[in-house]
């Protein structure tokens, strides 16, 4: 890495999505009634629970599958997931924390220069796709890394990826 | 001549008998014989036909020429062969194909137009379109806003000056492009702005509202484009100057300049705040200096107080040498004392601020560099950290074992139980919350109750139909057969259509069955084979007869089968229908078209004849027809209408018997 200390491209992770299972049936009604920061969506069949300390929002299904979003790092995501499981335990369910998996990571990066999107698209034909009618950014997909980058003309880049 | 009818007869047979596998997910072409290949193709042909129809329908609304429509149909065929139509509405796929053609040809059609026609969300269509372009590896060239100008100019009705205004608008657009206003923006918005300015330049009054209705963007978008254009130096030129001169310099894109402006503002703020701090520091030093002077000029405090202050100062000085935390506390105290401005307190703490401030200024001087030193290592550490993690991710994708070693037990390290307890409401809170939720979702709950009540009532009445989960259709094994006849037999056994089928006859079919069966779709589409043409026939008359013939032939499979020579009879049945005297033909056509109650009327008359004796009478009629056909004359005794009605009747009679 050359000249990194001078031009520090700070890439910030803004969102980490993870899933885990509790291996037990969860009574959504009970969680909804006794949880303090809970939204119960009965028509869809899920409960949204928000925690403050690692700021995360968890979607809980009655089958025991839980999706956690909003964490800013992988460790935080795991920490938040564990806290959530702990709070469910306190509510009285026999929770087992299994199959924790980080499913998606979102990061934002800023380039100090602006980018000419039509030319960029022409030069990167198979990977880049640009539809100004639909979205102002170029969608650049890297298949090998399974990542999608959204490149805006101001130089800010949003990276999304599913890692396994 | 008779075997000309063969292909489409077979097909109708096949379509009738094998309707579900072909129509459903029957993409697996079973190679158990000629029959099965035609079945798979038929469904495909139907899909393509349907798609073609929709393409033509939409394309005509967009006024696309035939070449474009053909290209779109080619795209559709490719999409179908790649199974991209599965799980997607045909309308969406068709729209995507058309839009792809528009892009490759460069016609001024927007995706918005298509979505307007279909009443579908633009983004949904866009998603389908992107997928299609990606899968078919077609690079759609980027949209040039210049393409839209003639179209919008025409809609804005500039009269004779249309061309001039368009040219001006084009120049404006090119200028905008050079000023980097067009990256990431909807081309229609830019067009709207350019046209508006061009119109004004040529003394046409076009309001923003008119332009918006044509261009389909929001008012605020248009205004924003106009202001952006205003910011460029080109806007300062007069009309004539603009037409002649083209400024050399290029501008940055407006979003970039906006971003730069924000950055600059932030920097300014930071600098200002630092300056403020410096200024504050100066002020405080002056203040303290003044206080010291004042203190010195005041009479010294005696005894205990003096000792206290002296001790305080000694402590302060030692502590100031120690850690930053202590100095911070002292800073706080100093700040508190400054704020209070209590004379008595100042007496006591007069020495304290004095010494602490002395330490404070260099401390402040220390503070900015401390922050920088803190910030300094961060980016490099981050960049290094990321590179490490990237290397890890790429090289060893094995995170699972690490998690699995927990084996389900919850690791409670670092979890603050107390805080989690706060997440659980007590009883009173739970009750309140339950009530609130009930009130909010009252409607939904009511709907659920009504639904349950309805179901209970229906159950009592015995009407309630349980919605059984759909059974997935079993895949049939491909039929292994040596001859077509055997294959048909086996298939019929599988399908369990009817026990009235005469298998010996089936085997007889085999002889003429092979090749014509494969020409399935074309003969069907082309209508009756040329062999039976007996003179000029009205186009209108033919289709209704044909459909009725088709209907009839479909229903009469069993009866036909029972004939010794079904092909000939079938052929002949159709023949008499078609080869009736031309005069009667028109009458037939007319009669068949307003079918409903004419048939009903007809029903009444021949009922007595046909229904009583069911198939027998039918066969008798058929024999009569055969004889007639052989004579190659129109039926003398039976009137055309009667025949039509009679045939339908025979059909129904058979149906009743068979099923």
């Amino acid at each position: 890495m050359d000249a990194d200390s001078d031009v520090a491209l700070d890439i910030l992770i803004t969102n980490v999505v993870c899933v885990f299972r509790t291996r037990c049936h969860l009574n959504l009604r009970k969680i909804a009634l006794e949880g303090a920061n809970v939204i119960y969506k009965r028509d869809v069949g899920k409960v949204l629970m928000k925690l403050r300390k690692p700021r995360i929002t968890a979607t809980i299904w009655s089958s025991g599958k839980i999706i956690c979003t909003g964490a800013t790092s992988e460790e935080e995501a795991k920490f938040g997931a564990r806290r959530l499981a702990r709070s469910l335990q306190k509510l009285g369910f026999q929770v087992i924390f299994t199959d924790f998996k980080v499913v998606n990571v979102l990061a934002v990066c800023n380039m100090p220069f602006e980018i000419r999107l039509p030319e960029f698209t022409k030069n990167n034909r198979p990977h880049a796709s640009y539809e100004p009618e639909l979205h102002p950014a170029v969608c650049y997909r890297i298949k090998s890394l399974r990542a999608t980058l959204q490149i805006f003309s101001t130089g800010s880049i949003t990276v999304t990826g599913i890692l396994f | 001549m008779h075997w000309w009818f063969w292909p489409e007869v077979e097909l109708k047979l096949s379509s009738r008998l094998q309707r579900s596998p072909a129509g459903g997910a029957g993409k697996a072409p079973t190679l158990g014989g000629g029959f099965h290949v035609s079945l798979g193709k038929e469904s495909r042909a139907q899909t393509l036909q349907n798609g073609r129809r929709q393409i033509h329908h939409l394309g005509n609304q967009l006024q696309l020429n035939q070449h474009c429509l053909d290209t779109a149909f080619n795209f559709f065929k490719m999409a179908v062969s790649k199974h991209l139509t599965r799980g997607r509405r045909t309308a969406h796929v068709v729209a995507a194909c058309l839009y792809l053609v528009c892009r490759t040809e460069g016609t001024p059609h927007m995706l918005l137009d298509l979505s307007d026609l279909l009443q579908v969300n633009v983004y949904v269509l866009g998603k389908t379109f992107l997928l299609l372009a990606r899968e078919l590896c077609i690079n759609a060239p980027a949209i040039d806003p210049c393409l839209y100008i003639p179209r919008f100019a025409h809609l804005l009705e500039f009269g004779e000056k249309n061309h001039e205004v368009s040219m001006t608008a084009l120049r404006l657009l090119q200028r905008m492009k050079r000023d980097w206003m067009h990256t990431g923006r909807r081309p229609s918005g830019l067009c709207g702005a350019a046209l508006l300015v061009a119109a004004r330049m040529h003394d046409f009054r076009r309001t923003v509202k008119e332009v918006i209705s044509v261009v389909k963007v929001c008012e605020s978008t248009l205004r924003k484009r106009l202001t952006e254009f205003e910011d460029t130096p080109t806007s300062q030129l007069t009309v004539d100057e603009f037409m002649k001169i083209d400024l050399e310099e290029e501008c940055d894109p407006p979003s970039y300049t906006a971003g730069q402006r924000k950055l600059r503002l932030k920097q300014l703020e930071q600098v200002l705040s630092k300056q403020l701090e410096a200024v504050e520091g100066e002020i405080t030093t002056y203040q303290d200096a003044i206080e010291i002077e004042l203190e010195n000029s005041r009479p010294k405090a005696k005894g205990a107080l003096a000792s206290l202050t002296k001790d305080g100062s000694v402590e302060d000085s030692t502590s100031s040498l120690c850690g930053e935390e202590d100095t911070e506390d002292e800073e706080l105290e100093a700040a508190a004392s400054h704020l209070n401005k209590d004379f008595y307190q100042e007496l006591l703490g007069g020495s304290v601020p004095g010494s602490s401030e002395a330490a404070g200024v260099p401390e402040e001087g220390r503070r900015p560099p401390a922050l920088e030193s803190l910030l300094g290592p961060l980016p490099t550490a981050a960049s290094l950290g990321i590179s490490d993690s990237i290397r890890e991710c790429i090289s060893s994708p094995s995170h699972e074992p690490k998690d699995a070693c927990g084996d389900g037990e919850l690791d409670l390290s670092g979890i603050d139980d107390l805080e989690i307890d706060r997440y659980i409401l007590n009883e009173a809170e739970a009750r309140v919350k339950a009530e609130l939720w009930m009130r909010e979702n009252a409607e939904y709950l009511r709907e659920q109750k009504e639904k349950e009540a309805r179901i209970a009532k229906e159950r009592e009445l015995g009407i309630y139909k349980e919605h059984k989960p759909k059974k997935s259709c079993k895949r049939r094994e491909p039929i292994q057969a040596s001859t077509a006849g055997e294959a048909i037999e086996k298939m019929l056994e599988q399908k369990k259509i009817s026990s009235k089928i005469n298998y010996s006859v089936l085997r007889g079919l085999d002889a003429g069955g092979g090749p014509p069966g494969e020409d399935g779709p074309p003969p069907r589409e082309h209508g009756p084979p040329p062999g039976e043409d007996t003179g000029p026939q009205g186009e209108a008359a033919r289709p209704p007869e044909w459909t009725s013939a088709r209907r009839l032939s479909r229903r009469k499979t069993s009866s036909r089968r029972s004939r010794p020579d079904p092909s000939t009879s079938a052929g002949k049945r159709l023949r008499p229908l078609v080869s009736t005297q031309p005069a009667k033909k028109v009458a037939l056509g007319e009669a068949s078209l307003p079918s409903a109650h004419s048939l009903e009327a007809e029903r009444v008359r021949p009922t007595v004849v046909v229904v009583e004796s069911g198939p027998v009478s039918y066969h008798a009629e058929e024999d009569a027809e055969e004889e007639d056909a052989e004579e190659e004359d129109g039926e003398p005794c039976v009137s055309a209408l009667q025949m039509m009605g009679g045939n339908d009747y025979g059909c129904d009679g058979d149906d009743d018997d068979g099923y």
Side-chain angles (χ1 to χ4, degrees):
Chain A
M1 297 275 177
D2 45 347
D4 252 284
S5 49
D6 295 345
V7 184
L9 282 178
D10 37 339
I11 176 163
L12 291 166
I13 299 181
T14 49
N15 194 10
V16 174
V17 180
C18 64
V19 296
F20 70 94
R21 296 167 71 175
T22 58
R23 296 269 180 203
C24 79
H25 186 267
L26 298 172
N27 186 356
L28 293 184
R29 205 194 159 87
K30 187 174 174 202
I31 300 175
L33 286 175
E34 296 179 17
N37 31 10
V38 154
I39 304 171
Y40 184 22
K41 292 205 175 182
R42 195 186 166 183
D43 34 350
V44 201
K46 58 189 185 192
V47 159
L48 295 174
M49 186 157 179
K50 304 202 189 204
L51 273 105
R52 269 187 219 111
K53 186 109 171 280
R55 213 163 254 286
I56 56 172
T57 307
T59 311
I60 307 170
W61 272 274
S62 58
S63 60
K65 289 215 176 116
I66 300 181
I67 296 186
C68 237
T69 64
T72 49
S73 78
E74 293 172 45
E75 295 85 31
E76 213 183 279
K78 183 140 192 204
F79 181 58
R82 284 193 285 122
R83 281 181 124 237
L84 195 70
R86 180 83 187 117
S87 59
L88 286 175
Q89 256 178 5
K90 290 211 154 197
L91 281 171
F93 300 105
Q94 304 293 322
V95 161
I96 305 173
F97 186 76
T98 54
D99 295 339
F100 175 81
K101 194 163 70 165
V102 172
V103 174
N104 197 359
V105 178
L106 233 128
V108 173
C109 175
N110 241 305
M111 296 285 145
F113 44 81
E114 84 270 17
I115 302 171
R116 299 184 186 171
L117 301 181
E119 288 179 35
F120 179 82
T121 331
K122 264 186 243 170
N123 294 337
N124 295 278
R125 258 313 157 124
H127 302 286
S129 95
Y130 175 44
E131 284 298 315
E133 286 193 21
L134 295 173
H135 194 58
V138 172
C139 185
Y140 189 99
R141 286 181 206 265
I142 305 175
K143 264 201 164 166
S144 53
L145 295 173
R146 245 176 300 215
T148 306
L149 293 109
Q150 294 202 356
I151 304 163
F152 290 84
S153 61
T154 55
S156 65
I157 298 180
T158 309
V159 188
T160 314
I162 303 179
L163 42 95
F164 283 111
Chain B
M1 280 266 244
H2 302 307
W3 58 270
W4 276 111
F5 299 99
W6 183 237
E8 109 295 303
V9 163
E10 255 199 25
L11 274 173
K12 273 158 221 151
L13 236 145
S14 58
S15 67
R16 176 104 205 317
L17 295 170
Q18 286 270 328
R19 197 142 284 265
S20 33
K27 293 294 183 204
T30 51
L31 301 166
F35 245 83
H36 296 274
V37 176
S38 69
L39 297 176
K41 275 197 185 154
E42 187 187 296
S43 151
R44 177 61 64 86
Q46 244 182 350
T47 318
L48 290 176
Q49 232 183 354
N50 190 19
R52 195 193 184 91
R53 208 176 345 114
Q54 289 201 19
I55 287 174
H56 276 270
H57 182 63
L58 269 183
N60 287 330
Q61 282 178 303
L62 290 171
Q63 285 132 27
L64 287 172
N65 60 19
Q66 192 56 38
H67 168 68
C68 292
L69 295 178
D70 290 335
T71 322
F73 186 55
N74 280 334
F75 287 149
F76 186 74
K77 272 194 275 188
M78 284 203 278
V80 169
S81 65
K82 290 201 182 192
H83 305 295
L84 296 174
T85 44
R86 293 242 203 124
R88 282 188 189 90
R89 310 226 170 156
T90 320
H92 292 357
V93 180
V94 158
C97 290
L98 278 170
Y99 186 60
L100 200 55
V101 166
C102 289
R103 281 288 280 270
T104 49
E105 299 285 321
T107 62
H109 288 104
M110 298 193 286
L111 199 58
L112 271 173
D113 303 328
L114 278 168
S115 79
D116 271 343
L117 280 175
L118 288 175
Q119 298 291 308
V120 167
N121 192 357
V122 168
Y123 296 106
V124 170
L125 276 186
K127 216 173 165 186
T128 320
F129 165 69
L130 281 173
L131 190 100
L132 199 73
R134 205 182 22 214
E135 291 298 318
L136 299 178
C137 304
I138 295 170
N139 286 324
I143 298 177
D144 198 1
C146 305
L147 288 173
Y148 292 143
I149 292 217
R151 180 185 157 188
F152 292 141
H154 181 71
L155 283 169
L156 281 172
E157 289 167 8
F158 289 120
E160 309 103 26
K161 279 192 145 191
N162 205 338
H163 184 69
E164 285 178 36
V165 178
S166 310
M167 293 310 292
T168 320
L170 274 170
R171 273 187 73 97
L172 277 165
L173 260 184
Q174 275 162 10
R175 187 64 232 169
M176 281 184 193
K177 273 198 211 174
R178 289 187 61 187
D179 288 334
W180 295 105
M181 265 175 68
H182 78 296
T183 35
R185 268 75 192 279
R186 281 226 177 136
S188 45
L190 288 166
C191 279
L195 274 171
L196 190 69
V197 176
R200 295 267 169 84
M201 277 162 79
H202 287 269
D203 301 324
F204 279 103
R205 293 269 151 88
R206 293 282 177 272
T207 60
V208 171
K209 287 215 174 83
E210 287 172 11
V211 174
I212 289 171
S213 61
V214 163
V215 160
K216 294 179 200 158
V217 287
C218 188
E219 196 182 316
S220 50
T221 314
L222 201 62
R223 275 190 215 283
K224 202 161 173 231
R225 298 287 167 271
L226 289 171
T227 42
E228 282 168 8
F229 188 61
E230 215 181 323
D231 289 334
T232 66
T234 316
S235 62
Q236 306 300 322
L237 302 170
T238 67
V239 176
D240 294 324
E241 280 174 6
F242 174 72
M243 300 306 280
K244 289 172 200 147
I245 308 169
D246 209 6
L247 285 176
E248 283 303 314
E249 54 183 85
E250 294 179 3
C251 297
D252 286 328
S255 43
Y256 180 70
T257 44
Q260 292 298 87
R261 219 181 297 156
K262 270 190 219 162
L263 269 173
R264 256 180 279 141
L265 277 172
K266 259 196 210 164
Q267 280 172 355
L268 270 174
E269 268 177 43
Q270 276 178 357
V271 168
L272 272 173
S273 58
K274 276 189 205 157
Q275 282 180 353
L276 273 169
E277 282 171 15
V279 168
E280 270 178 21
E282 278 182 29
I283 292 173
T284 46
T285 46
Y286 287 142
Q287 230 174 353
D288 297 324
I290 292 166
E291 278 164 17
I292 291 166
E293 286 294 318
L294 282 172
E295 201 202 294
N296 291 340
S297 58
R298 251 182 261 125
K300 293 266 183 210
K302 301 170 213 159
L305 286 172
S307 60
L308 269 173
T309 52
K310 277 197 196 129
D311 288 336
S313 64
V314 164
E315 282 172 17
D316 291 338
S317 53
T318 50
S319 59
S320 69
L321 290 169
C322 297
E324 284 181 20
E325 290 163 333
D326 296 346
T327 50
E328 273 179 30
D329 290 340
E330 287 171 5
E331 286 287 312
L332 282 170
E333 282 181 24
S337 58
H338 278 299
L339 286 170
N340 289 337
K341 297 234 167 48
D342 199 356
F343 210 79
Y344 197 67
Q345 283 221 347
E346 271 170 19
L347 269 180
L348 271 175
S351 54
V352 176
S355 57
S356 58
E357 280 309 322
V361 172
E363 220 260 300
E364 275 181 21
R366 252 186 283 140
R367 247 198 280 140
L371 278 172
E372 277 170 14
S373 64
L374 275 171
L375 285 174
L378 266 179
T380 52
S383 59
L384 280 173
I386 287 170
S387 65
D388 279 334
S389 61
I390 287 174
R391 235 180 287 134
E392 259 184 53
C393 286
I394 294 177
S395 56
S396 61
S398 58
H399 294 275
E400 291 303 313
K402 282 186 226 158
D403 293 329
C405 72
D407 89 321
E409 282 303 312
L410 193 56
D411 183 12
L412 289 176
S413 62
I415 291 180
D416 188 7
D417 267 0
L418 284 171
E419 196 180 325
I420 291 177
D421 275 334
R422 258 184 267 145
Y423 284 138
I424 303 175
L425 305 165
N426 58 25
E427 263 201 44
E429 288 172 344
R431 249 185 296 126
V432 171
K433 184 159 183 202
E435 216 191 285
L436 275 172
W437 188 87
M438 288 292 175
R439 228 181 291 159
E440 250 192 67
N441 299 33
E443 243 190 69
Y444 176 74
L445 288 171
R446 208 188 330 125
E447 278 173 29
Q448 293 291 89
K449 275 196 202 133
E450 280 171 14
K451 191 174 173 190
E452 275 174 29
R454 200 176 7 111
I455 292 171
K457 223 192 300 174
E458 280 178 0
R459 225 175 246 151
E460 279 172 32
L461 295 171
I463 302 171
Y464 182 62
K465 273 192 274 178
E466 303 264 357
H467 286 284
K468 288 197 194 128
K470 285 189 191 161
K471 289 186 218 153
S472 54
C473 43
K474 310 170 246 175
R475 288 200 96 187
R476 292 168 204 261
E477 302 105 37
I479 298 172
Q480 310 286 340
S482 49
T483 64
E486 237 186 86
I488 299 164
E489 260 184 63
K490 291 202 180 158
M491 172 196 74
L492 288 171
E493 273 172 50
Q494 262 193 350
K495 258 293 205 166
K496 294 183 181 30
I497 295 299
S498 171
S499 53
K500 294 188 179 179
I501 294 169
N502 190 341
Y503 288 103
S504 55
V505 162
L506 272 185
R507 283 190 210 103
L509 289 183
D510 190 15
E518 284 161 12
D519 300 332
R524 211 185 181 199
E525 282 185 26
H526 294 336
E532 58 166 3
D533 249 345
T534 51
Q537 300 183 357
E539 288 291 312
R542 192 186 291 228
E545 281 177 319
W546 194 243
T547 49
S548 63
R550 237 183 249 174
R551 234 186 315 138
L552 297 168
S553 56
R554 248 184 251 143
R555 290 185 195 175
K556 290 184 180 116
T557 52
S558 46
S559 61
R560 214 186 293 130
R561 282 282 174 71
S562 56
R563 319 239 87 244
D565 197 359
S567 61
T568 54
S569 76
K572 280 171 194 161
R573 327 199 48 256
L574 295 166
R575 256 160 120 271
L577 279 175
V578 178
S579 64
T580 43
Q581 294 131 17
K584 280 191 186 157
K585 200 149 283 258
V586 182
L588 266 177
E590 280 169 14
S592 62
L593 282 170
S595 47
H597 35 257
S598 63
L599 278 177
E600 297 281 327
E602 250 54 57
R603 253 164 223 247
V604 184
R605 259 191 294 129
T607 329
V608 185
V609 179
V610 176
V611 171
E612 278 176 5
S613 37
V616 178
S617 71
Y618 174 67
H619 292 325
E621 269 188 34
E622 264 213 327
D623 289 334
E625 284 171 20
E626 271 192 335
E627 286 165 353
D628 284 345
E630 271 158 11
E631 287 171 9
E632 300 230 69
D633 253 346
E635 294 78 0
C637 318
V638 188
S639 78
L641 287 177
Q642 240 185 4
M643 202 181 68
M644 278 284 298
N647 287 340
D648 272 335
Y649 272 111
C651 228
D652 293 336
D654 269 356
D655 276 352
D656 292 332
D657 285 345
Y659 307 90

